[in-house]
Amino acid sequence: MAKTYSIFGAGASGLYTAWRLLDGTAAGEKGKAKQLGKGDVLELYDWGKYDFSKEYPGGRAAGARVCTWHYRDDEKNAYLELGGMRYSDWNGNNDGEAGGHRVVTTVIKQMGLDKYSVPFNESTNPLFYLRTKNMYLNAITSANPAPYYVDHYGADDSPDNGFNTVESLAGTQKTLPQTRAAWCEFYQNGRIAVDLPESSVFQRGELFKDIGYWNLMFDQLGSEGYGYTADGNGYTSNVINWNSAVALQSNNEFTPGTEYKTLTTGYSGIFTALFDAIVKLAKEKGISFEYHPDTRLHSILKIGNATRYSIATRKSPNKKSATKTTDAAWLAMPRYAIDLVAQATRYEDHDGLDVLNHQKVQLYLESAIMQPSYKVGMFFDHQWWTDTTNSALQYPAPIESYEVTLAVLDQLAKAGFPANYIAAMKNKDNAILETPYASVPSFIQAVEHAIQERLSVKQEEQLLAAAVRNTIGPSVTDTPIRQVVYFGNNARDQAVAPVYGLLASYDDEMYTDFWKELELGPDTNRKIPVSEDTQPLEGPRKAPPVMVKMLRQQLAAIHFGPQADFSFVPEPLETRYMDWSLPPFGAGYHAYAAHYNICDVQQKIRKPSQLIDGADADIFIVGEAYSNDQAWVEGAFCTAESVLNDFFGIVPIIDNKNYPFICPTR
């Protein structure tokens, strides 16, 4: 009898699930019996309609909370990322210590996209504008402190030191967990491991999981220390009252100098490639692939031995349009969308098992904290933020950096650079390869130390020309734009007329409301409820003049000084925004609440019927919201991968042994 598998959501986890169901290899007879074969049906539903290909066109770039936006919607032009935008590259080392997003890196290679992968580095000397003071990180000293009254001279150094102070409560870095299993143990049993003054609210031996991170930071850093860390790190979401045990691990990822990569095709390119692979594989295997855009999951129940679900159209999302059955269902969606599905059956009598509304399932669903996020992109006809010929530009964006990559070494080799120099820079012990440097002197000094010789003038010129590249910044401010990310002219076709992209606002939490009230402009009333505004599905929306003017005003303060007005920043060519707090996502990213056994949540919520005594329903929850890598594509891929490994017998895409943070959680 033919099988039907149904996936609800065509974002990262939904597409990954569909691809792996078609491409994965099953182990054992039970796994093989669950594999899709000729005559079976694979359904993919999505509330939106993404632009996957000419055969499957849509209204916006693919990727759900990833959304690449090209100037004038022309793929030949420069682009901005108005959603997720980068990944941490994995070097393939499986010794248990190498960092990086292993699954994303693997997928990019298998899709043949690694040739488009390029560094997406953060500046090692970012610009700050805090409490109306402009300053670069390297200039913050005891003689020139940040404008905060932090205890123990905390304003004399980076705002990220606040994270280090709190992390030290768990012991030294060497004693912190180094494997995925060890982190699961820490999430549940990690305790404050140092003696604290009696005046501290929290004391040695208390569980981190039962302490809100804001509570802990405030206790240890004081009001001003917390304020400096919160303002200066750029992400308000990092310092909310979430689970302290998880925060200690997660906040290590957001520090200057951390290296990321992205795709020159735009990050949405991962998802168009996955969709193409799905269509191709289904055709090759004789499996009926049914793609249903503009359709949402309305409700879902376990009735007898089958899963019964109802769908609704995007035009009438609250009314059932059809009811069907399936052999297995994947809810590839965030908490907000899952809540909407559960609400449909919460207040009515019905047959069968209502998995999503069981009390224990609801408890675990509520472990994910929804974090609103807002991004505004602007394109200009010149890169005014680095134009030092403009005497008014007091604080140019510190985005120039130098980095040696394998491609740079190949270029130098072709130019006749000494082979022993190239070998020395390639040697991992010298820590030159893929390490960004913010200045010419520091870069040249590091290279000359590695090669143990002085470079000639010509060699120095060759090296600098090959290794120069821009970072993304960002610049950080306590004004509502929060972070400014510099994309520049990244068009793949450099022959087109250049335009320069700027992510003018990258903010989250309470700052999103600041921009929301500027979306309509003056003399305009709202015409539809916010609960029905699905702007993220439509794509980047044009910003009105009042929002543009407000953005220019705050950008002027960051780069031209606190006395500058909006006229210092030129009128942009185009400005659009994405409000990720709107349906169906309800958030840009998620965090875990305190007072939960996080790894038990991750393990059980994937098949929520595990939480109900005597129940078994092939209804699965995948996506980043309940992953160990919340807010990352890696989290979405990992959660989907773990379901396929554990419940469908599909051989893992990579070796899970000896590695921290890898899925599945077992």
Side-chain angles (χ1 to χ4, degrees):
M1 185 174 177
K3 295 187 294 292
T4 297
Y5 287 167
S6 306
I7 301 169
F8 300 96
S13 58
L15 292 173
Y16 184 87
T17 297
W19 175 60
R20 291 285 284 142
L21 281 170
L22 295 168
D23 186 62
T25 301
E29 294 305 314
K30 288 186 178 180
K32 292 177 181 178
K34 291 184 176 182
Q35 273 198 304
L36 291 170
K38 187 175 182 179
D40 291 335
V41 178
L42 178 61
E43 302 177 323
L44 179 63
Y45 290 89
D46 197 69
W47 197 334
K49 188 176 183 181
Y50 301 125
D51 190 17
F52 286 121
S53 63
K54 290 182 179 180
E55 186 179 357
Y56 295 92
R60 53 148 284 195
R65 276 175 288 155
V66 172
C67 183
T68 301
W69 168 48
H70 289 81
Y71 175 60
R72 292 183 174 175
D73 295 320
D74 186 343
E75 292 187 358
K76 294 180 181 179
N77 290 328
Y79 67 87
L80 292 167
E81 300 290 0
L82 295 186
M85 56 189 179
R86 57 191 177 179
Y87 70 99
S88 180
D89 188 54
W90 173 50
N91 64 11
N93 192 329
N94 202 38
D95 62 1
E97 297 181 0
H101 292 161
R102 300 174 88 217
V103 183
V104 171
T105 303
T106 301
V107 170
I108 285 173
K109 289 181 178 177
Q110 292 197 14
M111 293 291 112
L113 298 174
D114 49 329
K115 59 188 174 184
Y116 303 117
S117 180
V118 293
F120 194 72
N121 294 329
E122 290 190 351
S123 172
T124 57
N125 185 32
L127 171 64
F128 294 95
Y129 178 69
L130 304 174
R131 293 183 175 175
T132 71
K133 181 177 180 178
N134 307 75
M135 51 197 170
Y136 294 98
L137 177 62
N138 290 352
I140 299 175
T141 64
S142 58
N144 183 41
Y148 295 80
Y149 298 98
V150 186
D151 293 340
H152 308 296
Y153 308 102
D156 297 355
D157 210 331
S158 166
D160 288 332
N161 277 351
F163 294 128
N164 298 332
T165 299
V166 176
E167 182 182 294
S168 68
L169 300 181
T172 66
Q173 179 65 34
K174 291 182 179 179
T175 65
L176 287 174
Q178 299 297 312
T179 67
R180 180 69 179 88
W183 272 110
C184 275
E185 172 67 20
F186 182 83
Y187 291 161
Q188 181 62 6
N189 298 311
R191 298 174 184 272
I192 296 176
V194 298
D195 292 323
L196 295 172
E198 290 185 4
S199 58
S200 293
V201 173
F202 305 105
Q203 296 292 322
R204 175 192 277 271
E206 294 190 41
L207 290 165
F208 284 112
K209 78 176 182 65
D210 294 333
I211 304 174
Y213 195 57
W214 181 5
N215 298 152
L216 186 62
M217 294 187 79
F218 194 92
D219 183 42
Q220 295 301 304
L221 304 176
S223 178
E224 286 290 282
Y226 171 79
Y228 183 37
T229 304
D231 293 344
N233 95 100
Y235 295 91
T236 305
S237 54
N238 284 349
V239 297
I240 64 167
N241 228 16
W242 57 316
N243 189 302
S244 287
V246 181
L248 291 179
Q249 183 270 313
S250 297
N251 280 337
N252 284 328
E253 197 138 21
F254 298 94
T255 55
T258 299
E259 184 178 29
Y260 301 98
K261 286 190 175 182
T262 191
L263 302 177
T264 58
T265 60
Y267 207 30
S268 286
I270 298 177
F271 309 103
T272 54
L274 275 173
F275 190 88
D276 288 344
I278 292 165
V279 173
K280 181 180 179 181
L281 284 166
K283 186 176 182 180
E284 290 175 355
K285 293 176 179 287
I287 296 167
S288 177
F289 173 61
E290 299 179 2
Y291 173 53
H292 303 280
D294 295 326
T295 307
R296 63 158 290 218
L297 176 63
H298 177 272
S299 56
I300 190 164
L301 300 165
K302 171 71 180 296
I303 307 291
N305 293 323
T307 297
R308 188 179 74 188
Y309 66 91
S310 296
I311 54 177
T313 65
R314 184 168 165 183
K315 186 177 181 180
S316 301
N318 297 321
K319 303 296 182 182
K320 294 180 184 178
S321 62
T323 299
K324 301 181 179 182
T325 60
T326 187
D327 293 291
W330 282 261
L331 277 56
M333 53 183 68
R335 177 186 164 181
Y336 181 93
I338 293 172
D339 285 345
L340 291 181
V341 175
Q343 288 170 17
T345 51
R346 185 172 297 160
Y347 307 109
E348 66 177 16
D349 295 328
H350 49 70
D351 296 327
L353 175 65
D354 192 350
V355 173
L356 296 182
N357 283 307
H358 188 274
Q359 185 185 51
K360 189 67 179 291
V361 176
Q362 280 290 307
L363 174 67
Y364 274 25
L365 287 173
E366 290 178 3
S367 68
I369 301 171
M370 292 184 285
Q371 299 180 298
S373 175
Y374 206 105
K375 292 189 176 183
V376 189
M378 308 175 93
F379 285 106
F380 295 87
D381 60 8
H382 68 287
Q383 199 162 256
W384 57 265
W385 50 91
T386 59
D387 183 12
T388 54
T389 63
N390 180 359
S391 60
L393 185 67
Q394 298 184 54
Y395 305 98
I399 60 176
E400 187 173 88
S401 72
Y402 299 87
E403 181 180 14
V404 174
T405 64
L406 292 176
V408 168
L409 293 179
D410 288 343
Q411 182 179 339
L412 291 172
K414 292 176 182 178
F417 218 66
N420 60 317
Y421 289 7
I422 292 174
M425 288 188 282
K426 191 178 291 187
N427 188 329
K428 293 182 180 180
D429 292 337
N430 289 324
I432 296 294
L433 196 65
E434 296 188 344
T435 299
Y437 293 87
S439 68
V440 170
S442 62
F443 178 51
I444 296 299
Q445 182 181 16
V447 171
E448 290 182 337
H449 180 75
I451 66 176
Q452 291 294 295
E453 291 187 37
R454 294 289 184 187
L455 293 169
S456 68
V457 173
K458 181 179 179 181
Q459 289 168 345
E460 187 173 312
E461 290 174 347
Q462 287 178 317
L463 179 63
L464 292 175
V468 67
R469 58 190 7 89
N470 284 348
T471 71
I472 65 166
S475 293
V476 177
T477 172
D478 58 356
T479 65
I481 63 176
R482 291 296 276 143
Q483 292 186 78
V484 185
V485 183
Y486 309 93
F487 281 76
N489 177 24
N490 54 10
R492 292 181 63 197
D493 183 358
Q494 290 290 305
V496 300
V499 294
Y500 302 87
L502 181 78
L503 194 57
S505 178
Y506 179 178
D507 67 43
D508 52 30
E509 301 294 343
M510 71 279 196
Y511 292 92
T512 62
D513 285 343
F514 181 90
W515 302 108
K516 188 182 292 289
E517 296 308 320
L518 294 170
E519 291 173 358
L520 300 180
D523 301 321
T524 306
N525 292 326
R526 290 197 178 275
K527 297 180 180 179
I528 62 171
V530 172
S531 60
E532 295 180 14
D533 186 355
T534 56
Q535 178 266 315
L537 294 180
E538 300 164 11
R541 185 176 287 171
K542 184 178 180 181
V546 65
M547 183 185 290
V548 174
K549 191 173 182 180
M550 184 68 77
L551 289 161
R552 292 170 65 197
Q553 180 188 83
Q554 293 179 35
L555 288 170
I558 294 171
H559 291 290
F560 296 92
Q563 305 306 316
D565 61 40
F566 75 91
S567 65
F568 281 68
V569 174
E571 187 75 31
L573 300 171
E574 193 172 10
T575 304
R576 296 192 193 180
Y577 67 85
M578 291 290 281
D579 182 355
W580 296 106
S581 68
L582 293 172
F585 303 110
Y589 22 88
H590 300 82
Y592 278 118
H595 303 282
Y596 279 93
N597 182 339
I598 296 304
C599 285
D600 194 58
V601 170
Q602 293 175 6
Q603 187 70 25
K604 301 289 178 56
I605 202 66
R606 296 174 307 141
K607 187 177 182 180
S609 61
Q610 296 177 107
L611 295 165
I612 307 170
D613 290 341
D616 184 23
D618 282 336
I619 298 172
F620 305 95
I621 293 175
V622 293
E624 61 76 37
Y626 298 97
S627 74
N628 195 68
D629 294 282
Q630 293 172 312
W632 294 103
V633 170
E634 179 78 357
F637 283 1
C638 272
T639 307
E641 175 73 16
S642 65
V643 167
L644 296 169
N645 300 162
D646 286 0
F647 301 111
F648 288 81
I650 291 179
V651 177
I653 193 170
I654 46 179
D655 183 0
N656 290 332
K657 296 178 181 178
N658 305 320
Y659 196 81
F661 326 134
I662 188 61
C663 51
T665 56
R666 289 175 179 164

